[in-house]
Amino acid sequence: MDLFLVLLNMLIILISIAGGVLLIGLVYRGYKLLGLLIAEKKNKDSTEKKYRK
């Protein structure tokens, strides 16, 4: 019974570590996409200003 609890505990710890890594990856990807969108918007604004002159 004790061995079963130890294995179950290790499994839960591994699953939570994997979940944390996935969550960090999603947050990183979200910020990266947000940065790309902001950069694209700034680029679009500056191109419009160039053509207006």
Side-chain angles (χ1 to χ4, degrees), residues 2-50:
D2 286 340
L3 182 64
F4 175 71
L5 289 176
V6 169
L7 289 175
L8 188 64
N9 204 3
M10 287 174 62
L11 187 66
I12 290 172
I13 290 171
L14 287 174
I15 288 173
S16 29
I17 290 172
V21 169
L22 285 174
L23 189 63
I24 290 171
L26 282 174
V27 169
Y28 171 74
R29 183 186 291 172
Y31 276 118
K32 195 171 162 185
L33 286 174
L34 187 64
L36 286 174
L37 286 174
I38 291 171
E40 187 177 320
K41 187 176 186 308
K42 284 183 182 177
N43 191 15
K44 189 177 179 183
D45 290 346
S46 65
T47 352
E48 286 177 359
K49 287 177 185 174
K50 284 180 187 175

